[in-house]
Amino acid sequence: MNKGVRKEPSMVKQKELIANHFTRLSKARALGKKVVYTFVPGNLTELLAAFDVLPVLPEINALQSGMRKLSARYIAEAERAGHSEDVCTYVKCDIGMGMTGNVGPTGEPLPEPDLLLLSYTGCFVFMKWFELLRERYKCPVAMLHVPYQGEGVVTPEMTAYVVEQLKTEVIPKLEAVTGRRYDEARLRAALALSAKAEDDFVWVLDSAKNRPSPIDAYFGGVYYIGPIFTAFRGTAEGADYYATLRREVEERLAAGESPLTPEGQMGREKYRLVVEGPPNWTSFREFWKMFYDEGAVVVASTYTKVGGLYDQGFRHNPERPLETLAEYCMGCYTNLNLPSRTALIEKYVRDFHADGFLFNSVKSCNSFSAGQLLMLREIEKRTGVPGGFIESDLVDPRYFSEANIKNRIESYLQMIEQKRRGTTEFREQSAESPAVSRRERNGEPDGDGGRTPPIPPKHGGFREPT
Amino acid sequence: MTLAAVIAEIEKLYFDIDLDAVAAWKARTHQKAIGTLPVYVPREIVTAAEMLPVGLMGAGAQIEIIRGDAYFQSYICQLPRSTIELALTKRLAVLDGFLFPSTCDVIRNLSGMWQLLFPDTFVRYLDLPQASGAVAARYHRRDLEKLARELGDLSGHPVTNASLASAIARHNKNRAVLDRIYELRAKAPWTFPTREVYLLLRAANLLDVDDHTRLVERYIAAATRENRPVRDHTRVVVVGAFCEQPPLELIQTLEAAGCYIVDDDWVLGPRWLQGPVAPGADALQALANAYLAQSVASPLKFEPGIRKGDALVETVRARRAEGVIFCAPSFCDPALLEQPMLEAALARAGIPSTAFKYAENLGQFQVIREQAGTFSDSIRLWGAA
Ligand code: SF4
Ligand code: SF4
C-alpha cells in the first residue's frame, strides 16, 4: 500500500457539487425554489431540472446518515415510534431523521417537499416509504408506475405506459406545483448533457477490464455514481465532473496504477472480484479496507447500476425525451428480473476476467436480496468461478459484524487462491446465514430482540444440501 | 350435508398439501391447473381458459423445510421458502403453470427464481398497475389480454369475451357468497366461528369456483341450524395476514383467548374485488377496471386520494368491532410498513389495537394467547386497551 493520500481534482469537484446542492436545498425556501423528493432508481432528474425544482433523494440522506454514524440513532427513533425492526433501514433512518429535525449534512434542516415523485422502480418499499412521508407532509404525490421487466424485456407497450403517465400524471403535477409550463427544449438540452456524462462514466467503468484495474468499481464506484445518480445528471457541472474523472483514470491507466483508496494507492492487484448488492455504509471504510488490505479489487458491481445500466449501452436520447426517460427507468438494475440479473453478473465475471464474485446481502433490501442464493449458485455453475456470500445491512450498524465479515472475506480469498493454484479441491458447501436468528424468524421471541449481530455463513460457496 | 361433513371436507382440503384434490379435478375434467401466488390474480381468466386456478399459500407447519432454507436468507419471510420446498419435493408437480402477482419484492423475485429453477414451466409475473385512471386501465387491459392469450394457448381453450363473461359471472357468485358469510359472521360470530370460516376460505384455493360456492352455501345452511352458545367475547378485526398465513392454531388461539373475529384480511385473493364485476361488452376491460376501482383497501395498491387507515376505521365501525389485532408475518414489508399508518388512524379514531408477528410454521402460541387475552379483557372490562 502506498500511504501517500492523494486528493484528485474529481474528488474535490464532487465534494463541492454535493455541498453546493445541500446549501441550495437549505436556502430553497429563501430562493423561492420548489422541492421534490424522489428516489434514485428511475429518477427523472432532467425533467425536474426542466422545471427548475430541487430534488431531495431520501436514500442518499439515509446513506449519508449511515456514513456520518447518525443512522443508529435515527433508526432507534423510528422503532420507538412503532416502525418494525424487520423493515428496510433506509426508510427508518429517513423517518427518524425527519422526527429529529430533518437536518442535512450542512447542519441545516432540509426543506419539506412540495411534491413526492414516487417513481415505483424496482422496489415495492418505495411506495410504502412515500405513503409514510405523505402522512407527514400532507403534500401531493405523483405516482409513476414503472413496469418490472418480468420477462426480461422492455416492450413498446411498457414504454407507452410510462410515457403516458409522464404526460398525464408527472408533468401536470410538476406544472401545478411550480406554476411553470413543461419546456421540452430545456429537457432535450439536459438529456444531451446526460448522454455526454454517461459516455465518460462508462469509459471509467470499463477501464476496470485492464490489469491492474485503475479503479475499484464498487468502493470507488459509489463515489463515481454520486453525481450521475443524483441531482447532476443533465447538468454542465455533472458532465464536467465525468470528463475530469475520465482524464484522471486515463492517467492512472497509462501509469499502470492501481485504484486509490482512503489510505493511498492500493498495492498489487491480487484478486479481481465482481460484487452484487449495496455496500454497508456505517462501516464503509472498514469494509473497503478488508478488500484492499488483501489486494482485492472490485472490477464490476451491480450496485453502481441501480441508477441506470449505462454500461450495457443505454444512453439518454434527446431526440425521444419522454421515451428515453421511460426506458431509463425500466432499465435500472433492480428492475431486471432474476434471470437477467444473473446473466449480467455472469457477463461481468467473464468480461472483467474476475477471479470471484461476492454477494453482500443486505438485510434491509428484499428487492436485492430475495433470490440471491440461487443466483450465486447459478453463476458458479455457469462460470466455474467460486462465489462468496456475506451479510450485513445498509445503515443499521447492529447488522455489521466486522470480525465475522473480515474473517469470511479472508477465507473466501484464500479459497480463490487455493482454487487458482489447484492445490485444494473446492469443497461444496451450503450457505445458510442467519443474520437474524431462526427463532425470531419463526415469530418466537429472541433473547435480545433480534439484535444479535450477523453470524456469517461458515463458508463462501452455496450448495443445496444433499 | 351436515355441518360435520362440511367441516371434515374443508379440514381435508386444508391439509391437502400434496394437492390431491387438484389431481382429482384434473383427472375428472382432463384440464390443466395453474398455481397462483398471493394475493390477487384475476382467477376469472384462468377459469375462462378452462383451467383450475390453485391458490398457493405456503405450507404452514405441515412440512419440514429442508431445502427451502438454503434458498433464502433468514431475514426473509417464510412463505417463499416453503413454496420452494413444496416445488422441490414435487408437491406442485400437478400444476401446469404459475402466476406471480406483484404483491411484493419477494414474490416478484420468486417469479425469477421459478424461471431459473423450472425453465420449462409456464411462469408469468403479473405486474398489477399502481397508476390509476384511463392510462392504467388501458395498460392493464393489454396485459390481461396477453395473459388470456397465453393461458388460452396453454390450455388449448382460447379465452373469448363470452367465456370470460361467463367466468366473471361464476366468480361474482363466489364473491357474493363470501361476502354473505362475512356479513353473517359479523352478526353472529358464535354461529360461524372463524376457524370454520377460515377453512372455508382456504378451500377456495383448491376447488373449482362453482364447487366452492356450493360448499359455502351448504356450510351456511348447516351452521345456521346449529345452536351454539353465545360467549362474552370481544369483537376484533384482524389485519396484516393477507399473504403468508397464520397457522390455524393461531386463529383458534385468538378465538380461545376471548376474541370474536368479525373481519380479517387473510385469504384475500378471492375477496379482493369488492362487489360484482359487470362484464359489459368488453370483459377484459371490465376486469381491468374492476382492479382499479373495486380493489379492497390494502397495503399492496397505491390509492391516490385516500388517507391510510380510513378504510380500516370504517370496517371497524361497520362490523361493530371493539378493537384491532395487527397480526403480520415476520419480515413482511407490505404489512409492517403499513402498520404504523393504520395504528395512527386507529389512535385518531380512539380504537384500541395490539400487535404481534408470526411465521406460518410457528409452533408456540402461549405468548400470543396471553397478549390477545389481555387485550380482549381490557376492552371488556374498561372499554379500552
Ligand atoms: S428495500 Fe432496498 S431498494 Fe427498497 S428502499 Fe430499501 S434499500 Fe432501497
Ligand atoms: S409475507 Fe409479505 S413479504 Fe412475504 S411474500 Fe408475502 S407479502 Fe411478501
Side-chain angles (χ1 to χ4, degrees), chain A residues 86 128 148 164 361 462 464, chain B residues 67 70-71 75 138 338:
Chain A
D86 288 0
K128 308 314 292 176
Y148 182 66
E164 282 185 79
S361 180
F462 165 78
E464 199 181 303
Chain B
R67 301 165 83 185
Y71 286 82
Y75 47 77
R138 269 197 302 278
E338 180 95 341

Side-chain angles (χ1 to χ4, degrees), chain A residues 276-343:
Chain A
E276 144 84 6
N280 164 273
W281 300 111
T282 48
S283 301
F284 183 79
R285 290 241 171 144
E286 294 82 348
F287 194 28
W288 189 355
K289 188 170 164 55
M290 292 175 198
F291 289 77
Y292 63 71
D293 274 357
E294 299 291 328
V297 61
V298 181
V299 288
S301 67
T302 55
Y303 181 67
T304 51
K305 315 296 155 43
V306 294
L309 271 178
Y310 304 112
D311 65 332
Q312 300 307 301
F314 175 81
R315 292 291 179 278
H316 282 93
N317 179 356
E319 303 303 314
R320 308 164 59 240
L322 296 183
E323 288 77 6
T324 205
L325 287 175
E327 285 157 5
Y328 160 74
C329 293
M330 288 184 285
C332 292
Y333 178 71
T334 46
N335 206 50
L336 306 185
N337 68 2
L338 257 62
S340 301
R341 282 172 59 189
T342 305

Side-chain angles (χ1 to χ4, degrees), chain A residues 83 91 95 128-136, chain B residues 341:
Chain A
H83 293 266
V91 180
I95 298 276
K128 308 314 292 176
W129 191 341
F130 271 14
E131 285 173 349
L132 285 159
L133 294 193
R134 177 176 66 174
E135 298 272 306
R136 173 185 308 154
Chain B
M341 295 183 271

Side-chain angles (χ1 to χ4, degrees), chain A residues 81-88 91 118 120 122-125 127-128 131-132 134-135 141 143 145-148 150-151 157-158 160-161 164-165 168 334-335 337-339 341-342 361-364 366-375 377-378 382 389 391-392 430-438 440-445 462-465, chain B residues 65-67 69-78 81 88 102-106 108-117 123-125 127-132 134-136 138-140 142 146 150 298-308 329-334 336-341 343-344 348 357-359 361-364 367:
Chain A
H83 293 266
S84 168
E85 68 266 29
D86 288 0
V87 300
C88 174
V91 180
L118 171 44
Y120 180 86
C123 170
F124 176 86
V125 171
M127 185 173 95
K128 308 314 292 176
E131 285 173 349
L132 285 159
R134 177 176 66 174
E135 298 272 306
V141 181
M143 162 55 99
H145 175 208
V146 174
Y148 182 66
E151 293 173 31
E157 290 78 21
M158 288 157 74
Y161 175 46
E164 282 185 79
Q165 291 178 75
T168 59
T334 46
N335 206 50
N337 68 2
L338 257 62
R341 282 172 59 189
T342 305
S361 180
V362 292
K363 174 185 176 286
S364 273
N366 283 343
S367 176
F368 255 106
S369 301
Q372 278 180 327
L373 286 162
L374 176 63
M375 289 167 69
R377 185 178 61 160
E378 193 66 27
R382 293 183 194 177
F389 201 83
E391 288 183 310
S392 66
S430 76
E432 208 208 337
S433 43
V436 176
S437 80
R438 180 185 293 264
E440 197 211 14
R441 189 183 72 220
N442 291 350
E444 293 157 37
F462 165 78
R463 287 293 180 275
E464 199 181 303
Chain B
I65 306 298
I66 298 165
R67 301 165 83 185
D69 276 345
Y71 286 82
F72 291 98
Q73 301 87 322
S74 51
Y75 47 77
I76 289 173
C77 59
Q78 192 66 20
R81 65 190 79 230
L88 295 176
S102 50
T103 299
C104 69
D105 295 337
V106 173
R108 183 197 71 185
N109 287 10
L110 191 61
S111 72
M113 294 176 74
W114 232 258
Q115 289 165 329
L116 287 169
L117 283 167
V123 176
R124 175 72 140 79
Y125 176 70
D127 208 348
L128 297 161
Q130 295 293 3
S132 47
V135 173
R138 269 197 302 278
Y139 176 74
H140 192 35
R142 270 201 303 266
K146 182 167 176 280
E150 289 166 354
S298 84
L300 307 180
K301 184 168 174 289
F302 182 72
E303 296 291 356
I306 292 174
R307 213 167 50 150
K308 279 283 168 194
S330 294
F331 306 109
C332 177
D333 280 339
L336 295 172
L337 286 160
E338 180 95 341
Q339 195 169 307
M341 295 183 271
E343 283 170 334
R348 283 195 299 269
K357 292 184 290 184
Y358 64 85
N361 58 350
L362 179 70
Q364 291 169 14
V367 175

